[in-house]
Amino acid sequence: MFMVIKIKKILVPYDATPSSEKAVKKVLPLIEKHDSKILFLSCVHDKATFGFFKTKSDKREIAKEKKKAERHHERLKKEAAKFGIPSSSKIIKSDLESKSIIEYAKDQNADLIVMSKSKIGTHAEKMYYNSTVDAVFKKTPCPFLYIP
């Protein structure tokens, strides 16, 4: 006996790295002929400050990152449209991206999260690098597809 899982909403976190580009490029052709919607999520890193308030330069930097993410999302939506895939996107401020991705997946009732991660070079990086992909995988609220 087998079970068929209907995948309606696919979350692809996007941070403009080659690994997130790879995840987008691989997932679009896979879902082209299915009745699925793709959700793009970008987290603008909300850096911790030593004081109790953000400076003007902190606010400008966040606004600059958000504007850049908006341009990326417009391109991603056009790319999805080429495959006939409906899409939506969200840009959020976050101090811990993995937590934000998990919360968004729960809020949107995502059926699948698709991610890829950057190559880590040295042994020391492998020991100390806490990957967002690994953190999401460990606490994912739905199936997870890793694109190597």
Side-chain angles (χ1 to χ4, degrees), residues 8-9 13 18-19 21 25 27-29 40 62-63 65-66 68 71 75 93 99-100 107 117 123 129 134 141 145:
K8 293 286 195 180
K9 293 182 182 178
S19 59
E21 279 292 330
K25 297 265 190 256
V27 78
L28 290 176
F40 297 110
I62 289 172
E65 280 188 55
K66 186 173 180 186
K68 186 177 173 183
R71 287 192 302 271
R75 182 183 57 77
K93 286 194 280 185
K99 181 180 175 192
S100 297
D107 291 345
K117 67 179 170 181
H123 178 67
Y129 181 69
D134 293 336
L145 175 61

Side-chain angles (χ1 to χ4, degrees), residues 89-102:
S89 68
K90 178 104 175 162
I91 300 165
I92 57 175
K93 286 194 280 185
S94 174
D95 60 342
L96 185 59
E97 288 80 0
S98 59
K99 181 180 175 192
S100 297
I101 292 166
I102 291 164

Side-chain angles (χ1 to χ4, degrees), residues 70-94:
E70 287 169 354
R71 287 192 302 271
H72 284 292
H73 280 238
E74 287 306 313
R75 182 183 57 77
L76 293 170
K77 287 180 186 177
K78 287 178 185 174
E79 193 75 25
K82 287 180 190 176
F83 288 90
I85 302 167
S87 63
S88 66
S89 68
K90 178 104 175 162
I91 300 165
I92 57 175
K93 286 194 280 185
S94 174

Side-chain angles (χ1 to χ4, degrees), residues 14-68:
Y14 185 84
D15 63 359
T17 60
S19 59
S20 64
E21 279 292 330
K22 182 192 222 178
V24 171
K25 297 265 190 256
K26 295 280 187 177
V27 78
L28 290 176
L30 288 175
I31 62 171
E32 179 179 16
K33 297 199 179 4
H34 300 281
D35 187 24
S36 300
K37 179 179 182 178
I38 194 162
L39 311 169
F40 297 110
L41 175 68
S42 290
C43 299
V44 175
H45 193 68
D46 194 9
K47 299 171 183 87
T49 59
F50 293 109
F52 294 104
F53 56 91
K54 297 209 179 304
T55 65
K56 286 183 183 179
S57 64
D58 291 335
K59 290 177 184 175
R60 277 194 299 266
E61 186 62 33
I62 289 172
K64 184 178 166 184
E65 280 188 55
K66 186 173 180 186
K67 197 63 138 168
K68 186 177 173 183

